[in-house]
Amino acid sequence: MSEPVILTAAVVGAEVTRAQSPHVPYTPAEIAAAAVDAWRAGAAVVHLHARWPDGRPSQEAGHFREIIDRIRGAGCDVVVQCSTGGAVGMSVDERLGSLVDGAEMGTLNLGTMNFGDGIFVNARPDVVRIAARLRERRLVPECEVYDAGMLDTLRWLLERGHVAPPYHVQLVLGVPGGMAASERNLRFLVEGLPAAVPWTAAGVGKAQLALAALAVKLGGHVRVGLEDNLYLSKGVLAKGSHELVEAAVRLARAAGREPATPRQARGMLGMGAA
Ligand code: KMH
Ligand code: ZN
């Protein structure tokens, strides 16, 4: 039996706007509904950001609490992962606001980079500090890798105990400023991963589903959703992240792999059964 695929839905992010797609959720109620729809479609993990009602990115604890309460209130057992990346320009203190009770995983961005026209600052002491907060709160870190050197930073963190199993790696390809979403780049990064670590690929932009298919083939897991890509196919907006999850389920099954349940995902990520 092939290993199930953990599908992560990144339902909003910090960058996409309603001017680009009317389907981008903003309020906690909309973001929670998008997460529940993605779970119903087959997502085992939701990667959460929050927004102010006017769409500006938010790392307010109250927004994250409300989103998580609404998700659980809908009877949804999806794994909840909160972003500590927030948006370009936020301080580390602000970014840490997302790590509220009820979070199970938190992201750990492994380096500073150009991010579109902005600079996403993750100085090494900031990374160490966020890693320490994740450990204190017993959250499984998802290490976000956008470029090859960040795998060396991961090794540095592991050698010093700042990150220790269980942890997860997210290979985010296609951010302008990071590595492009190409087959060659994904294969190169996968070859350089520490042994036995579970990994996911997130393709940003139009390569999202092609990169997902490659990740499934290489034995990895998949992230899709409006944070990274607004389109189901050329010129066709996805009506929500759930449509992208449905597409990922189809391509996983075509390769002989079933979508993992949240319970299976918790086991595979070293979190034990729910
Ligand atoms: N919004 C990006 C600047 C994460 O969620 O940890 C960072 C980001 C990564 O989305
Ligand atoms: Zn994010």
Side-chain angles (χ1 to χ4, degrees):
M1 275 281 281
S2 299
E3 191 189 41
V5 184
I6 301 171
L7 299 178
T8 296
V11 297
V12 59
E15 288 82 25
V16 292
T17 68
R18 264 198 203 141
Q20 297 170 288
S21 166
H23 307 297
V24 175
Y26 281 170
T27 66
E30 290 166 351
I31 293 168
V36 173
D37 287 348
W39 166 72
R40 287 207 181 100
V45 179
V46 285
H47 168 79
L48 292 179
H49 287 250
R51 299 290 183 99
W52 294 95
D54 64 3
R56 279 176 300 125
S58 157
Q59 290 291 105
E60 289 291 309
H63 287 155
F64 281 86
R65 276 193 210 102
E66 183 179 344
I67 294 167
I68 296 170
D69 285 351
R70 286 178 179 275
I71 289 172
R72 296 302 183 222
C76 171
D77 69 344
V78 75
V79 177
V80 169
Q81 176 190 102
C82 292
S83 168
T84 69
V88 162
M90 287 179 172
S91 69
V92 172
D93 282 338
E94 187 177 3
R95 286 162 52 179
L96 286 171
S98 64
L99 298 184
V100 298
D101 289 350
E104 297 172 88
M105 300 177 77
T107 59
L108 182 65
N109 291 275
L110 295 187
T112 298
M113 61 187 290
N114 286 328
F115 202 101
D117 292 335
I119 303 174
F120 184 30
V121 177
N122 294 286
R124 208 162 62 177
D126 298 336
V127 179
V128 168
R129 183 173 160 216
I130 295 169
R133 182 68 64 87
L134 293 169
R135 273 203 318 283
E136 266 164 43
R137 297 194 66 86
R138 298 179 181 279
L139 300 175
V140 172
E142 177 176 278
C143 299
E144 311 284 312
V145 169
Y146 305 82
D147 221 330
M150 295 187 193
L151 283 183
D152 298 302
T153 299
L154 174 59
R155 257 181 288 282
W156 186 91
L157 292 163
L158 287 164
E159 279 162 16
R160 285 156 186 79
H162 298 302
V163 172
Y167 70 101
H168 180 239
V169 174
Q170 180 71 254
L171 304 171
V172 186
L173 297 184
V175 172
M179 284 172 89
S182 70
E183 173 161 357
R184 186 175 73 140
N185 285 345
L186 184 63
R187 286 181 181 277
F188 176 70
L189 291 178
V190 169
E191 269 174 33
L193 285 170
V197 68
W199 62 273
T200 294
V204 177
K206 63 179 193 272
Q208 179 169 83
L209 292 173
L211 205 77
L214 180 60
V216 167
K217 187 168 122 189
L218 296 179
H221 305 284
V222 167
R223 176 170 114 179
V224 292
L226 299 189
E227 172 168 349
D228 302 328
N229 163 44
L230 296 170
Y231 291 91
L232 199 53
S233 56
K234 193 171 165 55
V236 180
L237 286 172
K239 293 193 183 69
S241 293
H242 61 282
E243 289 197 342
L244 295 162
V245 173
E246 285 164 4
V249 168
R250 284 193 292 275
L251 61 84
R253 287 198 170 130
R257 294 178 66 188
E258 281 297 306
T261 64
R263 188 183 174 86
Q264 286 173 319
R266 287 187 178 91
M268 292 158 75
L269 295 168
M271 300 159 74

